[in-house]
Amino acid sequence: QLQASGGGLVQAGDSLRLSCVASGRTFSDYAMAWFRQAPGKERAFVAVISWFGRDTYYTDSVKGRFTISRDNAKNTVYLQMNSLKLEDTAVYYCAANRKGTSRSQSEYNYWGQGTLVTVSS
């Protein structure tokens, strides 16, 4: 089970940190990712981190602004979002995948419920 939190209403340029706590399985067995679904759009990849955090990958639009990290002792993955833009407004989902650092939603077995991030001007 994955429980995402940390969303909210912020202004453009602000920062926000999302958290996703996992339970029920060995957290370090899973690569963890964040996806997002903007209004009227399909859900899309944001970032992924490997089992022990050595490898991270980002979609181009968030590189340099977002940082994914994990704390396996706390069974938690984070998404630090800086310099937020209007186009970052979306529901953010965390997901778990045993196979590796995939950008494909179909590779992910477990999903959190989503947390809404709204960026205003």
Side-chain angles (χ1 to χ4, degrees), residues 30-49:
Y30 294 84
M32 298 297 298
W34 289 95
F35 291 80
R36 66 185 179 185
Q37 186 167 19
K41 295 186 177 181
E42 295 185 352
R43 191 162 57 186
F45 169 79
V46 176
V48 62
I49 187 167

Side-chain angles (χ1 to χ4, degrees), residues 9-48:
L9 174 63
V10 297
Q11 290 189 322
D14 284 352
S15 297
L16 205 58
R17 189 176 80 159
L18 306 183
S19 299
C20 175
V21 180
S23 61
R25 288 171 177 83
T26 303
F27 185 64
S28 59
D29 284 349
Y30 294 84
M32 298 297 298
W34 289 95
F35 291 80
R36 66 185 179 185
Q37 186 167 19
K41 295 186 177 181
E42 295 185 352
R43 191 162 57 186
F45 169 79
V46 176
V48 62

Side-chain angles (χ1 to χ4, degrees), residues 28-86:
S28 59
D29 284 349
Y30 294 84
M32 298 297 298
W34 289 95
F35 291 80
R36 66 185 179 185
Q37 186 167 19
K41 295 186 177 181
E42 295 185 352
R43 191 162 57 186
F45 169 79
V46 176
V48 62
I49 187 167
S50 58
W51 300 274
F52 293 98
R54 185 180 68 180
D55 300 315
T56 58
Y57 302 97
Y58 300 89
T59 192
D60 287 346
S61 62
V62 308
K63 285 180 181 177
R65 300 189 299 120
F66 290 12
T67 302
I68 188 170
S69 61
R70 66 189 295 161
D71 185 339
N72 287 351
K74 296 182 178 180
N75 288 357
T76 302
V77 61
Y78 305 98
L79 186 68
Q80 177 67 43
M81 305 185 293
N82 299 330
S83 303
L84 282 161
K85 302 177 180 180
L86 298 179

